[in-house]
DNA sequence: TATTAAACGAGACGGTACGTCCAGTCTTAGC
DNA sequence: GCTAAGACTGGACGTACCGTCTCGTTTAATA
């Protein structure tokens, strides 16, 4: 990214009495982003994040407790926007667009790569897993279900639908392919998932 | 575990001209299994695997290149048996049993914990990811589709079924819950997935 | 040795911005001295130096590049004092005392043992040999010739004496016995060397 | 050297019941010589000696106990010839030639380099030092004193001469320069030593 | 205006584990 | 019985990061 490759002419910040340096915070998050994109999760170290950000190691540790903590913050800062489903009033269309967006995010974007790294780390760190769910996954799940919730509100689909279960059946296969099998996830695949959703409730034709 | 806690009376092996020591190989794999169960993935080190196995560190490195390489071997040795679907001739029943088994394996078993750790590691190591797929996931996927393949052969379900896609829609949500949301996966959930499979093809009623 | 066996009450040093820890430096040098005296050159390892000094291995490597580098520093710190010739104004006496001192240092003292080890190492490491000469031997040679230089200045002996060559004929045999033949070097032997020196210039009787 | 870089067409020796393989013995000693000349003492390993000699490591250990043991044997095999003083009946001449030969051997020859390495090792291994003296140095010292002994026998010099002490005063400075100061030792220097010897006994002019 | 305390840079520190290297031992099969 | 081959134990090597700590500087709110 652009990330102001040359530090601004603004005189360097050296701390002050009330509160942290915003400059340092941004520099750390951007360095973390850049590094994980360039060298992958395992290739990033706290020491390099600090030196790339032009910041003392202690400053990183003052505000974040670990590499994954930094990466989670960096991820949160620019991830949500990619994953908010649109609302056109047309459930079928909204679902298809959203699933394609999700698949593309996971498969091809830089923050998607960070996301996979964080999910990976969560597999061997329960504490981190809980934090990641609390700070990102729960919200993301709320966003994912928005199209279905709105369709229920509009009366387009039955109110006694188990929204969470249906959602899992649609997004689950995408995550499965990305995290487990490593196959690419194209529009045919995501559209097929939407087809499956509608075919499970024949009484409510798509529009 | 069984893992013969006391070494057998057989005299110690010190190398010979015709290949590696089977005793050392088993000891390493068992030590790795035990350690990862006891202290989790991150708590295991090559040094401790070696010393627990009563083996020199160099002997571990002679045959495996990294901790994950050892764990993959250890996992392969006792994992496949847990995940082979039965064949009763009844597709509905076979699917339900298999998915419950899969969910239980992932959620509650020791090798399931190792599996999650390995999948986690695969998220930040492309080389390992490829190796893990080649040595385990591809075969597992063959096993997963056995019930459907057999039903096709028996003429129970249409021959033009996209078996891979249907499979992803059934197992995907399970992996999603285990790896991403961390929710428990009970029989209701897996049965619901089977229901969904059949409801997508009304012309072929179960039984 | 003195080596302040109990660490001073001063609180532990953990690094600061103004360079290295003097405490760590001293502890390493003392540990090296003690270990080489206790177990000989070959029995000393960097790891044990570090742990004996209560210091991290990396701290040793930060400031010294090898075991011999540490030992050279340790040797320099307490060696020079043993080898500075006295100045009584009496050449004959000064020479005899100095050669006895040199022989005793090489044969019986702890730093003498370190010296022999370092000279030994210099035989198979040219880089170290050059460093050892630059940091110790050249200066020692200056000290060795002091008695002769002073006698020349006093007019006691001819000004056209080849001081370096005469010196080699006196100290050379001592080093030869210590390093090569391993024989003991007693006062008779060193006195005989001084006799030889004077007998080579009969016109200048020893006072 | 020739050292049969390609193994000869002669069928390889694989052991027999009639004592050790002379072929293996020679190959090991030659490999050791070549390696120490090519890479220095520290760069030689038992493993490389064995593989360079086309011999199993165990075969080396069967006949020699350590690297220095091999090198000592290799050295002994071709060293003595360089260091035997001639006998022309002329003491002055014999001494000058022998000291020059000694200086040249130590300073410039390949076996001289091995010699220095072995003397170096002797500084930190008492056991080896004793062995080296027993197997080489004592004999060499006998050879060194031959010219003086013969001159005594011929009545050229006084019979009550302390031959050993005089010898040390001549060879000592050479070893001192080679082992300690690292200076070159030219003919002027060795001749000066001989001059010193004669000037210490004016009643016995050279020739 | 001077004081003061938080945040900062720099970087040395005690540690842990890494992955490599070599020494020296042992076993087996071939000649 | 000696050999080649090579797997084995054991242990030091030197490196890389970890997370902690100290030092002296910068800064802005307080006094």
């Amino acid at each position: 990214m652009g990330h102001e490759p040359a530090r601004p002419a603004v005189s360097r910040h050296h701390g002050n009495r009330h509160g942290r340096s915003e400059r340092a915070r941004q520099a750390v998050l951007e360095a973390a982003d850049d590094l994980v994109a360039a060298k992958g999760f395992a290739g990033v170290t706290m020491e390099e994040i600090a030196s790339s950000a032009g910041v003392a190691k202690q400053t990183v540790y003052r505000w974040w407790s670990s590499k994954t903590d930094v990466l989670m913050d960096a991820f949160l800062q620019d991830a949500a926007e990619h994953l908010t489903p649109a609302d056109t009033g047309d459930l079928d269309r909204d679902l298809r667009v959203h699933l394609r967006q999700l698949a593309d995010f996971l498969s091809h974007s830089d923050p998607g790569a960070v996301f996979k790294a964080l999910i990976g780390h969560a597999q061997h760190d329960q504490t981190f897993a809980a934090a990641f769910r609390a700070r990102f996954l729960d919200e993301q799940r709320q966003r994912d279900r928005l199209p279905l919730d709105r369709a229920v509100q509009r009366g387009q689909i039955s109110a006694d639908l188990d929204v969470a279960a249906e959602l899992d059946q649609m997004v689950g296969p995408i995550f499965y392919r990305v995290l487990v099998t490593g196959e690419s996830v194209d529009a045919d695949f995501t559209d097929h998932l939407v087809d499956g959703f509608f075919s499970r409730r024949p009484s409510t034709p798509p529009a």
Side-chain angles (χ1 to χ4, degrees), chain A:
Chain A
M1 304 224 171
H3 291 170
E4 40 175 0
R7 288 286 153 230
V10 180
S11 82
R12 207 160 169 180
H13 181 285
H14 285 274
N16 65 52
R17 173 170 199 172
H18 299 291
R20 72 195 286 189
S21 161
E22 177 60 19
R23 208 193 113 277
R25 195 185 135 271
Q26 274 302 326
V28 167
L29 295 179
E30 286 163 8
D33 252 355
D34 292 355
L35 284 170
V36 86
K39 340 187 13 174
F41 177 84
V44 179
T45 68
M46 285 295 252
E47 243 146 28
E48 201 176 8
I49 289 174
S51 75
S52 297
V55 143
K57 194 163 52 155
Q58 183 58 38
T59 298
V60 184
Y61 278 106
R62 194 175 349 260
W63 302 109
W64 295 275
S65 63
S66 63
K67 175 170 81 168
T68 42
D69 200 22
V70 177
L71 290 180
M72 181 155 67
D73 259 26
F75 171 74
L76 290 175
Q77 200 165 58
D78 58 9
E81 69 202 68
H82 293 279
L83 293 168
T84 300
D87 180 8
T88 65
D90 177 352
L91 175 60
D92 181 79
R93 180 185 175 76
D94 285 358
L95 282 177
R96 283 174 208 278
V97 168
H98 181 53
L99 291 194
R100 286 179 198 183
Q101 215 169 29
L102 174 63
D104 189 61
F105 170 81
L106 290 174
S107 303
H108 305 304
S109 72
D110 269 358
V114 178
F115 174 83
K116 281 184 281 184
L118 295 176
I119 281 285
H121 182 70
Q123 305 309 316
H124 20 84
D125 183 341
Q126 282 304 313
T127 307
F128 174 78
F132 190 41
R133 282 178 194 126
R135 296 190 56 194
F136 178 72
L137 289 169
D138 292 346
E139 284 179 35
Q140 182 54 36
R141 231 174 167 195
Q142 292 304 315
R143 283 193 287 270
D144 285 340
R145 59 182 295 163
L146 279 179
L148 292 178
D149 285 343
R150 288 189 292 238
V152 169
Q153 283 179 330
R154 288 191 299 258
Q156 279 182 284
I157 53 178
S158 161
D160 60 357
L161 179 75
D162 183 344
V163 173
E166 288 299 326
L167 196 62
D168 288 353
Q169 289 192 59
M170 280 188 283
V171 302
I174 297 174
F175 281 93
Y176 174 61
R177 288 212 158 180
V178 168
L179 299 178
V180 180
T181 73
E183 290 165 299
S184 71
V185 183
D186 59 17
D188 280 355
F189 186 78
T190 57
D191 283 350
H192 191 71
L193 294 171
V194 178
D195 295 343
F197 167 75
F198 286 113
S199 76
R200 285 193 292 274
R201 49 200 53 70
S203 57
T204 320

